[in-house]
Amino acid sequence: MDDEHPLKAHAHIGHVEKLYLEVLYRCNFECRHCFQGVNLKRPERFTLDEATRAIAHFADHFGLSSVTICGGEPFLHPDLEAMLAFAKLRGLDTVVCTNGYRIHKILTRVASDLDHLRVSVDGLCETHDAIRRPGSFKACVDTLLFARAHGIRTSITMTVTNSNVGDIGGLAAIAAECGADHIKLHELRPIGHAADHPDLIVAPGQRSQLTREVRRAARDVPVFLDEDASPAVALDRSRMERTDLDRIEIQPDGRLYVSCKAVGADSNAFWYDKAHDCVEYRPADDDELAARTPQVRYVEI
C-alpha cells in the first residue's frame, strides 16, 4: 500500500481531514494581495473527471471528511455544480471559498449540495473595494444574505493588512447581521501580488490595535485568528512531525502542499498526477518537508 501512495510512505501521513481543491487559477478579480499573483493568467484547471477522481482518491486513501473548492474564483468553473454533487454523494462536507461577486444564479443551483460558503471580505466598504474592485463589498454582503436565505451556512475570511486592521470590529458587526458563523483572520504572506505590495504588511506598531479590534469583534461573532497574525500565540513545532493533517491543498497544475504556508513558494515535495490519479514524491533540498514547514493553526479568540 505504501508503495502505491508515496505521500504515506515518505511523509508518514495516515489521515487528511480536509482537501483544498483549487479547481482553476482564473479569477474575475486581480486583488493587490492575492497569493496567486501571475498564476491568475494561467489556463490550467481541473476537468470534472480529474476533480472527481482526486476527491475519490483522497477520500479512499486518506479518510477525508470535507472538500473545500477554491481557486482562483471557483464559481467561474463550469462544472462546480457537478463537483459539489459528487462530493456530497461521497458523504463529504462541502465548502466553497469565493469573492462573492454576482454569484446568486449559480449559488441557487448548488445550494442543495453546499454546506458552507466562505466569502472573502477585506474590510469595510471603502477599504475592501480599494483592494478588490468597486462595488464588491456590497456584492459580498448581498451574497452572505442570499446564501443564508437559501439555507447555506456562511463565514467571512479576511486577510489582515495595514489598511484594514481598524475595520475588523465593524466587519464583525456586519457579519453578525448577515448571520455568518464566524470570521477567520489570516496573516498576509509576501507571495504573489502581495510580494509587490509590501506596504500592505501590518506594521509592528499596529499590533496593539489589531488586538483591540479582534477583542471587539469577538463580542459579535466567533473570531478565528491565524497564529502568525498574533505574536502572543506560540508556535508548536511538534506539529511538523504529525501523522494526521488538518488539510492538503492541490493546485490546478497538480502541485500538492502539505502546509498552506508553502503555497505560492514553489516548495512542494508532492505532486498529484491527474492523468494517472496518484501522488508522486519529488523531494528537493528546500521543499516544505526539508524546511519543516508547519501547518497553520487558527485559534479562537
Side-chain angles (χ1 to χ4, degrees):
M1 177 66 71
D2 283 346
D3 290 340
E4 297 175 5
H5 302 289
L7 185 60
K8 290 184 177 180
H10 295 279
H12 310 293
I13 296 169
H15 176 79
V16 178
E17 186 72 14
K18 305 165 190 168
L19 176 66
Y20 277 62
L21 182 62
E22 294 183 21
V23 292
L24 78 176
Y25 288 116
R26 181 185 165 210
C27 188
N28 48 356
F29 285 12
E30 194 159 338
C31 304
R32 294 176 63 218
H33 62 352
C34 180
F35 74 95
Q36 293 286 16
V38 297
N39 283 338
L40 295 172
K41 306 298 185 184
R42 295 175 60 173
E44 295 99 323
R45 70 180 188 183
F46 274 84
T47 65
L48 176 58
D49 180 62
E50 290 167 346
T52 55
R53 285 192 294 137
I55 292 168
H57 180 93
F58 281 87
D60 290 341
H61 299 295
F62 299 102
L64 292 181
S65 65
S66 73
V67 173
T68 296
I69 297 181
C70 47
E73 173 48 53
F75 277 92
L76 296 179
H77 199 294
D79 296 315
L80 176 63
E81 183 177 3
M83 292 175 186
L84 290 170
F86 178 82
K88 290 307 296 180
L89 284 175
R90 292 299 305 252
L92 301 171
D93 288 335
T94 55
V95 183
V96 174
C97 297
T98 176
N99 59 34
Y101 192 70
R102 298 179 178 177
I103 61 171
H104 291 191
K105 184 176 180 179
I106 306 174
L107 194 55
T108 301
R109 297 203 307 264
V110 305
S112 61
D113 291 314
L114 179 58
D115 295 311
H116 194 118
L117 187 73
R118 189 176 299 154
V119 181
S120 295
V121 188
D122 290 309
L124 298 175
C125 185
E126 182 177 353
T127 310
H128 175 90
D129 284 5
I131 202 169
R132 291 184 176 264
R133 65 187 296 175
S136 58
F137 179 82
K138 182 181 184 302
C140 285
V141 173
D142 290 346
T143 291
L144 288 165
L145 293 170
F146 187 84
R148 291 295 292 180
H150 285 75
I152 303 168
R153 292 174 50 223
T154 62
S155 63
I156 288 174
T157 298
M158 176 179 171
T159 300
V160 180
T161 70
N162 73 345
S163 64
N164 64 21
V165 170
D167 289 356
I168 295 172
L171 184 60
I174 291 174
E177 292 174 5
C178 292
D181 285 359
H182 62 265
I183 289 181
K184 181 179 283 189
L185 306 174
H186 65 84
E187 181 83 341
L188 178 71
R189 296 185 174 88
I191 56 176
H193 284 160
D196 299 324
H197 297 284
D199 56 297
L200 292 175
I201 297 174
V202 176
Q206 293 179 290
R207 292 293 175 174
S208 59
Q209 182 186 16
L210 173 61
T211 299
R212 290 194 302 272
E213 285 291 319
V214 168
R215 289 174 177 167
R216 175 188 168 194
R219 296 198 293 263
D220 290 309
V221 293
V223 177
F224 292 87
L225 183 64
D226 179 346
E227 62 187 359
D228 289 352
S230 174
V233 180
L235 295 179
D236 178 5
R237 295 295 177 183
S238 66
R239 284 179 292 112
M240 293 180 283
E241 305 294 340
R242 65 188 298 179
T243 58
D244 294 331
L245 296 177
D246 179 64
R247 56 178 275 173
I248 267 181
E249 186 159 351
I250 307 178
Q251 293 207 326
D253 64 357
R255 280 177 290 177
L256 192 151
Y257 291 93
V258 173
S259 172
C260 66
K261 288 187 179 184
V263 176
D266 295 330
S267 61
N268 55 301
F270 298 98
W271 290 78
Y272 175 68
D273 185 334
K274 294 191 287 187
H276 299 94
D277 188 25
C278 65
V279 173
E280 294 184 356
Y281 178 54
R282 304 179 190 174
D285 292 340
D286 60 350
D287 66 35
E288 59 179 320
L289 297 186
R292 297 166 62 83
T293 306
Q295 293 274 293
V296 170
R297 179 180 62 177
Y298 286 90
V299 291
E300 185 173 3
I301 305 302

